C-alpha cells in the first residue's frame, strides 16, 4: 500500500477520534447542566456536598470537645462560660471582652441569669488549668461586680493575692462597697490594699466616705492604704465629701490627702471646690498647699476656672 494512502487514512482516523471526543465532552456538559437546572436549587448538589462537609467537621469538633458554643443570642450560662473559657485558653482578649459585654448586658436584665453565670465560672476560677484561665475568670467576676461575684473573688484573691488581687481593684460596681468595707473592717490582710483601691476606683460618694473613715481606724496599715487609695480617686462624685474633709476640723495630714485627691480628679467641680476652700480657710500652710495643687491641674475645665480667678481675684494666694 502506498505511503501516501496510509497517511491520508491515518489523518481521517485522528480527525474522527477528536470529533467523537468533542461530542462526548459536550454531551456530558449538557447532562450536568440539565441536572443543576432541574434541581430545586441551581447549585443543589454542590450545596448538599458543602453542607455535608460542614456537618462532618462540626461533628468531629464536638466529639473532640472543642465545639464553639454560639454566645451571641445564647442565654445558657454553661455555653457562654464554655465559649469564654475557650477565649481564655487561646488568650483571645478581643473575644473575651465581647463575651463580657454580653454577660453584663444580660445581668442587667435578669438577676437569675447573673447568679447562674457566677456559679458557672466558679470552677474556672478555682480549678482553671492555667493561671491565665483563672485570671480571665477573675476579670469577668470583677466586671459583674455583684455581691456573689465579689465574695468569690475575695476568696480566690486570699489564696493567690499576687495574681488575682489586682482584679479586685478594677471593680466599678457601687454594689460592691458594703462587702469591701466589711472585709477591710476585719483588719489588714494580703488583699486589703486591693480592697481600698477598689473603693477608690468605684469613687462614689459613699465609697470615698468609707475610705475617709478608714483614715481614722486604729490600724496603721489600713490607714496608710486608705490614704494611698484616696489619692487615686478620679470620680467627680467624690468632690462634696472630699471638700468636707478639708473644711471640717481634723489633722493636717488628712487635709493634705483631700487636696491631693481633688487635684487628681482635676475637673471643673474639683477645681471649684479647691478655690472655695482657699477662700474659707485661714491656715496659710493649707492655702499654699492648695495653690501648689491648683498649679498641677491640667484638665481644660479646671484650667479655665483658675485663669478666670487669676484675672478677678486680688487675694495673693489665688493670683
Amino acid at each position: 500500500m502506498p505511503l501516501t494512502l496510509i497517511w491520508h487514512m491515518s489523518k481521517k482516523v485522528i480527525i474522527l477520534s477528536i470529533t467523537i471526543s468533542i461530542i462526548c465532552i459536550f454531551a456530558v456538559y449538557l447532562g450536568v447542566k440539565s441536572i443543576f437546572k432541574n434541581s430545586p436549587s441551581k447549585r443543589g448538589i454542590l450545596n448538599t456536598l458543602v453542607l455535608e462537609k460542614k456537618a462532618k467537621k462540626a461533628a468531629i469538633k464536638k466529639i473532640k470537645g472543642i465545639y464553639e458554643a454560639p454566645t451571641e443570642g445564647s442565654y445558657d450560662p454553661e455555653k457562654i462560660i464554655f465559649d469564654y473559657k475557650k477565649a481564655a485558653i487561646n488568650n483571645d482578649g478581643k473575644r473575651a471582652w465581647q463575651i463580657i459585654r454580653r454577660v453584663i448586658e444580660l445581668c442587667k436584665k435578669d438577676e437569675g441569669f447573673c447568679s447562674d453565670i457566677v456559679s458557672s465560672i466558679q470552677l474556672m476560677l478555682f480549678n482553671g488549668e492555667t493561671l491565665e484561665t483563672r485570671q480571665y475568670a477573675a476579670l469577668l467576676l470583677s466586671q459583674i461586680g455583684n455581691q456573689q461575684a465579689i465574695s468569690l473573688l475575695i476568696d480566690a484573691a486570699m489564696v493567690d493575692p499576687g495574681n488575682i488581687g489586682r482584679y479586685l481593684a478594677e471593680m466599678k460596681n457601687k454594689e460592691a462597697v458594703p462587702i469591701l468595707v466589711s472585709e477591710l473592717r476585719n483588719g489588714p490582710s494580703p488583699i486589703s490594699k486591693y480592697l481600698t483601691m477598689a473603693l477608690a476606683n468605684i469613687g462614689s460618694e459613699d465609697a470615698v466616705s468609707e475610705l475617709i473613715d478608714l483614715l481614722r481606724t486604729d490600724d496603721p496599715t489600713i490607714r496608710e492604704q486608705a490614704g494611698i487609695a484616696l489619692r487615686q480617686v478620679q470620680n467627680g462624685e467624690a468632690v462634696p465629701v472630699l471638700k468636707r474633709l478639708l473644711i471640717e476640723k481634723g489633722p493636717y495630714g488628712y487635709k493634705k490627702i483631700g487636696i491631693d485627691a481633688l487635684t487628681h480628679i482635676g475637673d471643673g467641680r474639683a477645681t471649684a471646690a479647691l478655690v472655695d476652700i482657699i477662700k474659707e480657710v485661714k491656715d496659710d500652710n493649707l492655702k499654699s498647699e492648695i495653690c501648689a495643687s491648683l498649679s498641677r491641674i491640667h484638665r481644660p475645665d479646671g484650667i479655665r476656672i483658675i485663669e478666670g480667678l487669676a484675672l478677678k481675684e486680688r487675694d495673693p494666694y489665688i493670683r
Side-chain angles (χ1 to χ4, degrees):
M1 183 177 295
L3 292 175
T4 305
L5 182 59
I6 293 172
W7 167 246
H8 284 297
M9 290 179 66
S10 298
K11 282 176 64 178
K12 289 180 180 180
V13 170
I14 292 169
I15 292 169
L16 182 62
S17 299
I18 292 171
T19 304
I20 292 171
S21 297
I22 292 171
I23 292 170
C24 290
I25 291 169
F26 187 68
V28 170
Y29 166 76
L30 290 177
V32 171
K33 185 177 179 181
S34 175
I35 290 171
F36 277 108
K37 186 176 180 180
N38 295 328
S39 64
S41 169
K42 290 184 178 181
R43 300 183 65 187
I45 293 176
L46 184 59
N47 287 342
T48 302
L49 292 173
V50 170
L51 289 173
E52 286 180 356
K53 189 176 181 180
K54 286 184 177 180
K56 287 179 180 177
K57 284 185 177 180
I60 291 169
K61 285 185 177 181
K62 194 169 183 179
I63 291 169
K64 290 182 177 180
I66 58 170
Y67 175 72
E68 183 175 355
T71 298
E72 291 73 12
S74 175
Y75 289 85
D76 185 343
E78 290 187 3
K79 287 183 178 179
I80 291 174
I81 294 302
F82 192 93
D83 195 9
Y84 186 70
K85 184 176 180 181
K86 183 175 179 182
I89 292 170
N90 295 330
N91 200 21
D92 186 349
K94 183 179 178 180
R95 177 61 178 157
W97 274 106
Q98 288 174 347
I99 297 168
I100 288 171
R101 285 190 287 270
R102 168 72 174 162
V103 167
I104 293 171
E105 177 189 344
L106 293 175
C107 280
K108 289 178 180 177
K109 296 177 181 178
D110 186 350
E111 290 184 5
F113 169 85
C114 203
S115 178
D116 290 342
I117 205 82
V118 172
S119 298
S120 296
I121 206 167
Q122 184 172 353
L123 188 64
M124 182 177 169
L125 178 65
F126 289 100
N127 299 318
E129 292 85 351
T130 64
L131 173 60
E132 288 76 15
T133 303
R134 298 194 297 276
Q135 287 177 325
Y136 270 93
L139 173 63
L140 178 53
L141 289 172
S142 72
Q143 297 304 306
I144 293 172
N146 64 10
Q147 291 194 9
Q148 183 185 4
I150 298 159
S151 296
L152 276 177
L153 200 49
I154 287 174
D155 291 343
M158 283 291 196
V159 176
D160 188 2
N163 292 309
I164 304 299
R166 67 186 181 92
Y167 294 98
L168 276 169
E170 295 177 3
M171 284 187 295
K172 294 183 179 180
N173 193 336
K174 294 179 182 179
E175 187 181 340
V177 172
I179 193 167
L180 294 171
V181 173
S182 175
E183 190 66 31
L184 283 165
R185 296 291 182 195
N186 293 331
S189 70
I191 63 169
S192 56
K193 65 178 179 180
Y194 301 112
L195 299 173
T196 53
M197 286 306 298
L199 289 170
N201 195 36
I202 293 167
S204 62
E205 191 168 345
D206 58 336
V208 175
S209 294
E210 294 290 357
L211 280 172
I212 290 172
D213 286 344
L214 289 169
L215 289 175
R216 303 181 177 98
T217 190
D218 294 333
D219 189 277
T221 302
I222 296 294
R223 288 202 304 269
E224 180 185 3
Q225 291 169 348
I228 292 170
L230 278 166
R231 289 184 171 94
Q232 302 303 315
V233 173
Q234 294 183 356
N235 191 342
E237 285 184 32
V239 169
V241 69
L242 290 169
K243 186 177 178 181
R244 286 197 299 273
L245 176 63
L246 293 175
I247 293 172
E248 294 172 356
K249 290 183 178 181
Y252 181 81
Y254 293 178
K255 296 183 184 297
K256 176 66 170 67
I257 291 170
I259 292 169
D260 291 343
L262 287 169
T263 307
H264 192 256
I265 294 171
D267 64 4
R269 290 173 294 179
T271 306
L274 285 169
V275 171
D276 288 343
I277 294 163
I278 206 173
K279 293 177 182 179
E280 294 180 25
V281 299
K282 296 179 180 179
D283 186 327
D284 287 347
N285 289 330
L286 193 59
K287 280 188 173 185
S288 297
E289 194 68 51
I290 294 173
C291 289
S293 296
L294 285 169
S295 69
R296 295 196 298 271
I297 288 176
H298 299 293
R299 290 182 59 163
D301 47 350
I303 292 171
R304 281 194 294 271
I305 291 174
I306 297 168
E307 289 174 342
L309 285 166
L311 295 173
K312 293 188 296 182
E313 293 290 338
R314 295 185 178 181
D315 188 319
Y317 282 104
I318 297 177
R319 290 182 65 85

